[in-house]
Amino acid sequence: MFEVGDRVVYPLHGAGVIEAIEEREVLGERHRYYILRLPVGDMRVMIPIAAARQCGLRPVIPAERVPAVLDRLGDPVPPMDPNWNHRYREHADKLRTGDVLEVAAVVRNLSARLRERGLSGGERRLLDQARQILVSELALASGVDREAMDALVERRLQGEPSATPPADRAGGADARAGSSDGGDAVRP
């Protein structure tokens, strides 16, 4: 069970912070909900506590895993199905897993396809969604702001092997534990 202040990832939406735990009546039934604040668009999402696991809600990765995720962006792109509809379904399935390495693979694959041949409208939206999810988690994990992390992801996609979070900020959530900026340590 998560607590207020925990940093979590909600698949297909991205990373955010649990702002509250509230009991609400929905369709005549009372349930407890996590109120998750997502930084993109300052969106708030209600997630039933009883269904959090089935929804794929999970903790943000620890800061130590950020370099491995960035490395995934530089891995060779595997051969892709020439049919855009098949590619879209394959990548959407990876995105739905909520696994950060799978999300990074989607960003890598679709970014390469965009540079080489372009993307269908659906694939372009999927790339934008995957990139937002990836950047939001890596930024929360590493303590780097979203704009800086997006630039870092772009540099890594362009092949810069040294593109890693700045050393003084790579402490991420653990380095911010107990700080006055609301940062709490990520629990396993």
Side-chain angles (χ1 to χ4, degrees):
M1 184 159 166
F2 297 105
E3 297 175 9
V4 172
D6 285 351
R7 293 164 174 48
V8 296
V9 176
Y10 187 38
L12 300 180
H13 289 85
V17 177
I18 294 179
E19 193 171 72
I21 297 174
E22 298 178 359
E23 189 171 310
R24 299 231 179 140
E25 186 172 324
V26 177
L27 299 174
E29 294 187 29
R30 294 198 68 75
H31 296 281
R32 293 186 66 208
Y33 292 88
Y34 292 122
I35 309 300
L36 178 62
R37 182 181 41 81
L38 301 169
V40 176
D42 199 30
M43 182 169 51
R44 291 199 169 108
V45 179
M46 288 178 31
I47 304 165
I49 290 176
R53 183 177 295 262
Q54 296 92 325
C55 292
L57 193 67
R58 64 170 176 79
V60 167
I61 61 169
E64 301 79 42
R65 285 195 58 207
V66 171
V69 176
L70 289 169
D71 286 348
R72 176 63 61 100
L73 296 172
D75 286 350
V77 177
M80 287 187 265
D81 194 307
N83 182 311
W84 76 266
N85 197 17
H86 294 166
R87 280 192 315 270
Y88 179 88
R89 276 188 266 145
E90 178 183 329
H91 288 115
D93 288 345
K94 285 183 179 189
L95 205 54
R96 274 191 288 278
T97 68
D99 181 283
V100 68
L101 291 173
E102 292 292 332
V103 174
V106 170
V107 170
R108 176 200 62 212
N109 296 349
L110 292 179
S111 294
R113 179 74 184 197
L114 175 64
R115 284 190 305 274
E116 293 169 8
R117 297 185 183 163
L119 295 173
S120 68
E123 285 180 304
R124 180 60 202 216
R125 285 186 296 278
L126 192 65
L127 172 58
D128 291 344
Q129 180 183 19
R131 189 165 175 148
Q132 180 269 302
I133 291 167
L134 181 66
V135 167
S136 69
E137 180 164 11
L138 295 179
L140 271 181
S142 65
V144 175
D145 68 47
R146 283 191 14 238
E147 292 78 18
M149 184 54 70
D150 191 55
L152 188 58
V153 165
E154 184 58 35
R155 288 196 314 270
R156 193 62 183 105
L157 288 168
Q158 297 300 323
E160 289 185 31
S162 62
T164 57
D168 61 326
R169 299 184 76 181
D174 294 331
R176 292 186 314 273
S179 71
S180 61
D181 69 353
D184 293 327
V186 175
R187 291 189 316 275

